[in-house]
Amino acid sequence: MNSTLGFGEILAINLDRRTDRRNSLCLISAISSLKVTRIRASTPSDIEDEPLFDLEKSSLRPAEIACWRSHVNAWRHVIESGVETAVILEDDADWHVNIKEQFALLSKELLKNGAPIPPKGGGKWTPKKQRASDDFLRPYGRGWEVLIFGQLWSEWQADDSPRPSFTYRDTAGPKPDRLQEDFLEEMTLHGIEAGAKNMNMRVVAQSAGFVGLTGYAITRDAAQKLLYRIGIVPSDSAVDIQIRDLSYLCEVDTLVITPPLVSPWRTGGPGDTDIQEELFRVNGIGEGSVRREMARRWGADLGIVESDPSNPPAEAGEDHSQTDNKL
């Protein structure tokens, strides 16, 4: 697995003022032997004259609109750079020290099974092996447009039947007691019951709903589609909700990996988030966290909270910055 995990580029969205996160990204990328390209994050001051939003009437906060603009800019970069695929990260991303092995395994499973997306003309999806030699630019196979592996939580309609999926074992994956309830529920929905025999399992499924964009991959064709549907056509929803809705309607072929391979870094302090008042408890990477490894190597206790279920989200009213976006 190469320095961009087999994708054309790895992009990380980062605010100019968050040099702390930029420094951390530099270090954890070095630990993992990854090449990460920075995309400057937009701020509320950048979108004061944004033509797609009436700032006085919009239900979105300026920080959420700036977050939308940041992701749109990343898609435009993908198109202009000419890469076939790219990973897009938010700069609080945490991952496992063995991330290359984890993505090599994901590539193997996607090539073995194919993307669990039903045929466009109707009918049932069935696993179909793809050969890696078919297209060296697409080591994760074809059939998907967006690959979500850094969601904050899962969402689905009460009357939804399980969407097409396959499962695989990742020995470096988190144990069930480190997972939040909605991830456990989604895994059960796809036939993975809690128990010793189902330890370290992951689900790759057609998206039925998700929230959060800590980490995802996108094809150049999908970047073009999203740039039009989300970057030109007006909407009053947050960027992740717009992608979620397009995915739910099968207008974008989106796969979701559960539990996520990438999680947001949490210390429990006011620097955790620049867009939301809440701190979300999400799946943690666990003892394999690359940020834990960074702290271990250089001897600093960074106060990691990440996903321990005994650590609840921050109480409403705690002082978290609302001046910039989450990036």
Side-chain angles (χ1 to χ4, degrees):
M1 187 59 66
N2 65 14
S3 62
T4 56
L5 299 175
F7 299 94
E9 280 189 292
I10 300 176
L11 309 175
I13 302 172
N14 169 254
L15 282 165
D16 285 342
R17 72 176 183 85
R18 291 310 298 262
T19 56
D20 56 333
R21 291 188 175 184
R22 193 148 65 247
N23 293 341
S24 293
L25 271 172
C26 175
L27 291 172
I28 63 177
S29 299
I31 290 172
S32 304
S33 299
L34 298 181
K35 180 181 179 182
V36 177
T37 300
R38 177 180 181 259
I39 297 291
R40 178 187 174 275
S42 298
T43 68
S45 62
D46 294 324
I47 49 90
E48 290 176 354
D49 299 319
E50 178 58 57
L52 292 186
F53 292 90
D54 184 331
L55 298 184
E56 294 184 358
K57 297 180 180 179
S58 176
S59 63
L60 299 177
R61 295 188 297 272
E64 292 175 302
I65 298 174
C67 180
W68 162 85
R69 169 52 63 193
S70 299
H71 283 270
V72 168
N73 289 346
W75 305 335
R76 192 169 62 242
H77 173 92
V78 171
I79 297 167
E80 293 173 346
S81 67
V83 295
E84 184 74 12
T85 59
V87 167
I88 299 175
L89 302 172
E90 295 183 342
D91 65 359
D92 57 350
D94 186 23
W95 56 77
H96 198 280
V97 290
N98 294 327
I99 188 172
K100 286 188 173 182
E101 288 80 359
Q102 288 187 321
F103 273 81
L105 178 59
L106 175 61
S107 169
K108 176 183 176 182
E109 294 295 333
L110 278 168
L111 290 173
K112 181 174 72 174
N113 295 282
I117 303 287
K120 291 298 184 185
K124 184 178 180 181
W125 172 78
T126 55
K128 182 179 180 181
K129 186 174 182 179
Q130 301 180 55
R131 293 182 300 171
S133 59
D134 287 344
D135 191 345
F136 71 92
L137 292 175
R138 296 292 293 270
Y140 296 87
R142 292 187 174 268
W144 59 270
E145 295 180 301
V146 177
L147 186 62
I148 302 290
F149 48 76
Q151 69 274 29
L152 293 177
W153 71 77
S154 300
E155 249 185 18
W156 56 89
Q157 304 297 322
D159 57 350
D160 278 346
S161 57
R163 296 216 171 179
S165 66
F166 65 82
T167 63
Y168 69 97
R169 189 177 302 278
D170 178 358
T171 56
K175 298 177 181 179
D177 62 359
R178 295 194 64 84
L179 299 180
Q180 61 194 45
E181 192 63 32
D182 58 292
F183 289 152
L184 291 171
E185 290 177 2
E186 179 162 357
M187 295 173 76
T188 300
L189 194 67
H190 291 281
I192 301 180
E193 300 288 347
K197 69 176 183 178
N198 287 328
M199 295 284 280
N200 309 120
M201 297 297 293
R202 295 193 192 274
V203 176
V204 179
Q206 182 187 28
S207 174
F210 63 89
V211 174
L213 293 172
T214 304
Y216 62 104
I218 188 170
T219 67
R220 184 170 70 244
D221 288 344
Q224 294 171 340
K225 182 186 294 187
L226 294 183
L227 188 62
Y228 178 79
R229 295 296 299 270
I230 297 176
I232 294 178
V233 178
S235 175
D236 201 35
S237 297
V239 62
D240 57 334
I241 302 305
Q242 292 188 63
I243 298 176
R244 179 202 67 184
D245 292 347
L246 290 172
S247 302
Y248 184 80
L249 296 172
C250 301
E251 295 183 26
V252 176
D253 290 331
T254 301
L255 301 179
V256 179
I257 315 301
T258 306
L261 289 157
V262 172
S263 290
W265 170 262
R266 292 292 180 256
T267 66
D272 277 337
T273 177
D274 297 312
I275 186 171
Q276 296 284 2
E277 292 182 2
E278 306 91 350
L279 288 181
F280 302 110
R281 190 180 73 218
V282 298
N283 163 62
I285 304 303
E287 294 304 316
S289 160
V290 70
R291 292 184 183 254
R292 284 186 181 273
E293 175 62 17
M294 176 179 66
R296 186 194 68 80
R297 289 191 183 190
W298 292 291
D301 179 4
L302 299 183
I304 301 168
V305 172
E306 25 129 357
S307 71
D308 186 347
S310 65
N311 290 300
E315 295 295 329
E318 286 191 17
D319 182 20
H320 298 302
S321 170
Q322 293 294 309
T323 58
D324 291 304
N325 67 33
K326 182 179 179 290
L327 310 170

